[in-house]
Amino acid sequence: TIARVWTPSSPPRVPPMSPKWMQHSSPPSGVPGSNSGSTFCTTAFKLPVDEDGKALRMNVFSMARPHMRAFHCAWFSFFLAFTGWFALSPLMPLVRVSMGLCENGDWSDFDDPRECVCAKRCQDAIGTSNMVAVSGTIAMRLVVGSWAQVYGPRATQTALLCTFAVPLALIGLAQDERSLAAGRFFIGGIGATFVVTHFWTSSMFAW
């Protein structure tokens, strides 16, 4: 079904100073209720929507614009970010050995690996990298919400993925504890995509 949303007498639901990507278009001339105190969405949606243009139901097998396409873009981009965010965690047994953090030395032959003896230096290095990774995520989450509101969730999500893909690609160049911690700090920023994903879906659906 195609739904048009039109409330001829209610006040505008979107403040005049709201971002352009959130504002409804003005009603066409000649349409009843085209006074300044009405809200009107001229876009034809394939999902039933409320007066704010938010979808009232979902169809996960649809790619209809804008609601379902935004939904699929949101979850898929977050899954990409999540994969990069935690990419190093399952590799830590290899990382600590290749960086010489184990008490029993490096692996000189990966065909015959030795079990790492992770003593205080090794544990401190891994623990510090875990803490700075969380710190990077928290720092980005404090600011990314306002970016999503001003620039829109699509642009913000794209910027986060493209920006933090760089330290993710370069983390393999880390040679010691400090470079590992620095790399994980910047990689942690990609965790802020959680905030953008939540904002994106809540702006598209009346939940």
Side-chain angles (χ1 to χ4, degrees):
T1 58
I2 297 178
R4 289 179 180 271
V5 180
W6 170 41
T7 55
S9 58
S10 60
R13 299 298 298 269
V14 181
M17 296 303 293
S18 60
K20 292 182 179 180
W21 68 272
M22 293 181 61
Q23 295 178 3
H24 295 302
S25 56
S26 301
S29 58
V31 175
S34 59
N35 54 72
S36 58
S38 64
T39 57
F40 189 92
C41 184
T42 60
T43 305
F45 299 123
K46 292 188 177 181
L47 295 176
V49 297
D50 62 7
E51 64 273 13
D52 293 320
K54 296 183 178 181
L56 299 176
R57 64 179 179 86
M58 296 179 61
N59 181 6
V60 295
F61 300 105
S62 171
M63 286 292 291
R65 299 180 63 182
H67 303 94
M68 293 313 304
R69 182 171 298 187
F71 171 77
H72 290 300
C73 288
W75 73 258
F76 185 73
S77 60
F78 178 68
F79 271 45
L80 288 178
F82 192 88
T83 302
W85 189 11
F86 290 97
L88 278 181
S89 296
L91 297 177
M92 273 301 167
L94 295 177
V95 172
R96 64 189 184 184
V97 175
S98 62
M99 296 184 65
L101 299 177
C102 300
E103 290 295 317
N104 54 341
D106 300 340
W107 282 340
S108 58
D109 185 2
F110 278 85
D111 294 331
D112 184 23
R114 300 186 299 272
E115 183 177 356
C116 174
V117 178
C118 190
K120 186 177 186 304
R121 174 172 174 261
C122 175
Q123 294 174 359
D124 290 345
I126 295 177
T128 301
S129 68
N130 290 336
M131 287 189 294
V132 298
V134 175
S135 301
T137 301
I138 295 175
M140 282 303 302
R141 287 188 179 188
L142 293 176
V143 299
V144 78
S146 59
W147 293 353
Q149 189 171 14
V150 174
Y151 302 108
R154 181 177 60 181
T156 305
Q157 192 86 317
T158 302
L160 288 176
L161 290 176
C162 293
T163 300
F164 293 105
V166 176
L168 182 61
L170 297 178
I171 190 63
L173 301 178
Q175 300 294 325
D176 52 23
E177 303 95 313
R178 294 181 180 179
S179 56
L180 176 64
R184 295 202 66 188
F185 174 81
F186 290 107
I187 292 175
I190 204 172
T193 52
F194 174 82
V195 176
V196 183
T197 301
H198 184 275
F199 180 86
W200 201 351
T201 52
S202 63
S203 64
M204 286 291 168
F205 296 90
W207 294 342

